[in-house]
Amino acid sequence: MHLSHEEDDYNVSLSKFESMLKTNKVLFFDSEEFEEIILHYLDMGKASLAKKALKLALEQHPKSTGLKLVHIEMLIYDDKLDIAEKMLNELYAIEPHNEEIYIQKANIFSKRDQHELAIKELEKALEFTEDFADVYNLIGMEYLFLDNLELAKKHFILCLEDDFEDQSALYNVVYCFEFLDQHKEAIDFLNSYIDKNPYSEIAWHQQGRLSYIIKDYENALRSFDYATLIDDFFIGAHMEKGKSLEKLKRYKEAIESYEHTISLEDPTSYALLRIGKCHEKLGNKVEAIKYYNKTVHEDPLLDKGWIAITDFYIRQKNYQKALFNVNKALAIDNENQLYWKRYATINRQMNFYEEAEFGYRKAVEYGDYQLDTWLFWVDIMQFLGELDNAIQTLLQASEYFPDSYELEYRLAGTYYMLKDNTKGKFHLINGLRLSPNNVTVLEELFPVVWSRKIIQNVITKHLKT
């Protein structure tokens, strides 16, 4: 690859400057060379070298507006806003038509959270600039700070109309559309953008991602295909392509897509996990568990890897191994309601009822309010003889499910077991009112209660009315 003259000159200037620093010899640079050197060090995060270069630059070119503006930019970066503002006012008196002065004024207002004032300064900059795209982009960012997504979107689109290769503006436009839940409108916009710039892998990738979100997996796949054809090293597009193929149940092709990402860089735990899932869908159990184990070997702290192994062994009814792996996941994330529910379910299958009760309790504690979770939990409490706790839990559950016959029949049975016939009858009648055909729940869970004559009389009387 041949460097352009500008790149070649830039590299020579940089080398010359660094050589000067090593030898302590003072060499001459023109002001534009100094600007490029300073901005290079700022971009590299080497602030001390940038300041050293600026000091030498101002000594050699004390009247350079460009260098003064770079100095102001560094002051703003260091939050020395008052000094920067004073210098800008002095420059404005000399060069009122310099758009960079308005841009830096806007930068100061933005730093002070005065975003409306920043926008006004940037609108003034539009009167003098030749780089409209950059200013539109800055205005869009200020509107983002104000949470005005519509106006932000408008200005990012204006930016792209002036410079359709501005990738940051493209990402920001899509972000605005997404935040506004305008997914289909975003896809339409990207279609028109692609008409002008058909080789933008970013646009194809974003279109695919949005199509995936609205469950249009065929179009998502088509878009990711184009993105990877344009840039075969676009790992994110290959990964998303694999996900789309999974949704379309084309598991063998999905595996190929994920494997391609592994050929481009070191294996990622996510790709290995997805390959395992695909093999399991294809019935390749040996390959599935092999890739699940590779997943957790690659990233031992990936709880989803341990859960994938857990679910695999649950489906195989190998609860001992499932328990080992769910404990691994809980060691990583012990506030995950879904993991606690699996822990409880596995222990229930192994007849470890106290551990199962603890698991369901933790699942509810961390936000699992599914009806089946409550029912499994109270059934285990009743099995363990914790009838008072079962009552309290059932009453708590009934606040979420006031019309659940499952809860009413359980409340009835538990109250009768506690010899509170008044409350037992109340809840039995509630259950019969809600679903008389399911009164067998009482028979299955409370056979002793069911056999009582008083209970049968209540049921018979209710069913006759």
Side-chain angles (χ1 to χ4, degrees):
M1 175 187 272
H2 293 288
L3 293 173
S4 70
H5 287 301
E6 287 184 6
E7 288 174 320
D8 207 17
D9 290 344
Y10 166 72
N11 288 330
V12 168
S13 298
L14 198 58
S15 299
K16 191 169 101 173
F17 180 79
E18 291 182 350
S19 174
M20 182 186 77
L21 292 179
K22 290 174 185 174
T23 60
N24 288 323
K25 290 181 181 177
V26 178
L27 303 175
F28 180 83
F29 297 84
D30 67 37
S31 61
E32 289 184 4
E33 281 183 295
F34 266 126
E35 284 183 46
E36 288 178 352
I37 290 166
I38 295 162
L39 293 173
H40 166 79
Y41 286 131
L42 286 176
D43 289 341
M44 297 292 289
K46 297 179 178 179
S48 61
L49 282 173
K51 287 175 182 176
K52 191 174 287 188
L54 176 65
K55 183 175 181 295
L56 287 167
L58 289 172
E59 285 173 2
Q60 292 187 11
H61 305 280
K63 294 184 179 179
S64 167
T65 300
L67 288 171
K68 287 179 181 177
L69 283 165
V70 171
H71 187 193
I72 288 165
E73 191 173 340
M74 291 175 69
L75 288 168
I76 294 170
Y77 180 81
D78 289 335
D79 284 325
K80 296 176 180 177
L81 304 183
D82 293 338
I83 301 170
E85 188 171 38
K86 183 182 176 184
M87 287 181 65
L88 275 173
N89 289 334
E90 290 170 359
L91 277 180
Y92 173 76
I94 302 166
E95 294 189 31
H97 296 159
N98 187 327
E99 78 273 13
E100 191 63 30
I101 291 171
Y102 299 102
I103 290 170
Q104 294 304 331
K105 278 189 174 185
N107 201 356
I108 291 171
F109 282 127
S110 187
K111 278 257 188 175
R112 290 171 173 162
D113 291 328
Q114 296 173 305
H115 301 293
E116 294 92 345
L117 294 175
I119 290 166
K120 286 181 180 178
E121 293 299 326
L122 291 168
E123 285 171 345
K124 291 176 190 174
L126 284 172
E127 298 175 25
F128 307 109
T129 189
E130 293 180 3
D131 187 1
F132 291 98
D134 187 44
V135 180
Y136 282 133
N137 201 21
L138 290 170
I139 294 173
M141 292 305 298
E142 293 303 321
Y143 277 118
L144 277 185
F145 289 132
L146 291 168
D147 291 327
N148 190 330
L149 276 295
E150 282 291 353
L151 283 175
K153 180 179 71 175
K154 172 188 169 184
H155 283 85
F156 290 132
I157 290 171
L158 286 170
C159 171
L160 285 169
E161 287 174 357
D162 193 66
D163 177 10
F164 64 80
E165 292 186 353
D166 189 322
Q167 292 184 1
S168 68
L170 181 59
Y171 278 119
N172 283 327
V173 169
V174 174
Y175 168 80
C176 292
F177 275 117
E178 274 196 88
F179 194 89
L180 294 164
D181 288 326
Q182 297 172 349
H183 296 99
K184 290 183 179 177
E185 293 89 338
I187 291 169
D188 291 339
F189 169 79
L190 286 167
N191 275 328
S192 64
Y193 178 85
I194 287 167
D195 287 341
K196 298 174 190 172
N197 191 10
Y199 297 105
S200 169
E201 71 275 20
I202 302 297
W204 283 113
H205 176 255
Q206 291 298 306
Q207 188 181 72
R209 204 176 53 75
L210 290 160
S211 297
Y212 186 94
I213 289 170
I214 63 171
K215 298 182 171 32
D216 186 355
Y217 302 120
E218 290 284 359
N219 272 324
L221 178 59
R222 183 179 68 88
S223 299
F224 294 133
D225 262 333
Y226 278 119
T228 55
L229 282 170
I230 296 164
D231 181 2
D232 188 46
F233 293 90
F234 195 162
I235 291 171
H238 282 292
M239 199 75 78
E240 300 277 4
K241 179 180 172 181
K243 286 170 59 182
S244 300
L245 286 163
E246 274 194 77
K247 290 294 185 180
L248 294 167
K249 303 189 188 311
R250 291 160 61 176
Y251 301 114
K252 288 183 180 178
E253 293 170 79
I255 290 170
E256 289 173 10
S257 195
Y258 293 130
E259 285 179 339
H260 192 72
T261 68
I262 292 172
S263 73
L264 295 174
E265 65 171 19
D266 292 336
T268 64
S269 56
Y270 181 81
L272 294 168
L273 177 61
R274 296 319 313 168
I275 292 172
K277 295 266 189 187
C278 289
H279 276 301
E280 191 169 3
K281 292 285 186 182
L282 290 167
N284 304 331
K285 294 176 184 176
V286 174
E287 285 295 302
I289 196 62
K290 181 177 87 173
Y291 274 96
Y292 290 150
N293 284 326
K294 282 185 177 182
T295 300
V296 295
H297 177 76
E298 181 66 30
D299 184 0
L301 295 178
L302 182 69
D303 47 331
K304 289 182 174 62
W306 295 108
I307 284 297
I309 300 174
T310 300
D311 291 342
F312 177 86
Y313 283 123
I314 289 174
R315 285 188 279 272
Q316 306 307 310
K317 301 191 186 310
N318 188 337
Y319 298 113
Q320 194 71 46
K321 286 188 176 179
L323 182 60
F324 173 82
N325 285 284
V326 79
N327 277 323
K328 287 279 191 178
L330 283 167
I332 298 164
D333 181 2
N334 70 351
E335 295 184 3
N336 190 307
Q337 54 181 275
L338 299 175
Y339 299 175
W340 279 114
K341 189 168 184 175
R342 283 176 175 83
Y343 172 87
T345 302
I346 294 163
N347 278 291
R348 179 167 55 86
Q349 291 292 341
M350 297 174 73
N351 298 325
F352 297 160
Y353 294 111
E354 289 183 359
E355 290 83 354
E357 186 277 328
F358 178 75
Y360 286 123
R361 176 157 33 105
K362 297 297 281 186
V364 171
E365 180 183 329
Y366 290 119
D368 181 353
Y369 302 133
Q370 297 294 315
L371 179 59
D372 68 328
T373 305
W374 293 104
L375 297 179
F376 283 131
W377 187 17
V378 296
D379 288 349
I380 287 173
M381 284 184 193
Q382 287 158 355
F383 179 83
L384 293 170
E386 299 176 8
L387 300 184
D388 288 328
N389 286 339
I391 288 287
Q392 294 306 313
T393 302
L394 284 163
L395 291 172
Q396 188 181 353
S398 64
E399 293 177 11
Y400 296 95
F401 302 96
D403 297 322
S404 166
Y405 69 84
E406 295 100 324
L407 295 173
E408 291 298 331
Y409 285 130
R410 282 170 171 78
L411 278 164
T414 310
Y415 274 123
Y416 277 122
M417 291 289 287
L418 290 168
K419 304 192 185 318
D420 190 335
N421 291 347
T422 302
K423 289 182 180 177
K425 182 179 178 181
F426 172 79
H427 288 288
L428 175 56
I429 291 170
N430 272 349
L432 290 164
R433 176 178 55 81
L434 290 166
S435 183
N437 294 334
N438 285 295
V439 71
T440 50
V441 169
L442 191 67
E443 181 182 10
E444 290 166 9
L445 296 176
F446 303 93
V448 174
V449 171
W450 177 264
S451 64
R452 293 180 190 171
K453 188 174 181 181
I454 186 175
I455 306 300
Q456 291 302 315
N457 288 341
V458 172
I459 295 170
T460 303
K461 183 179 177 181
H462 184 85
L463 293 177
K464 282 181 180 178
T465 56

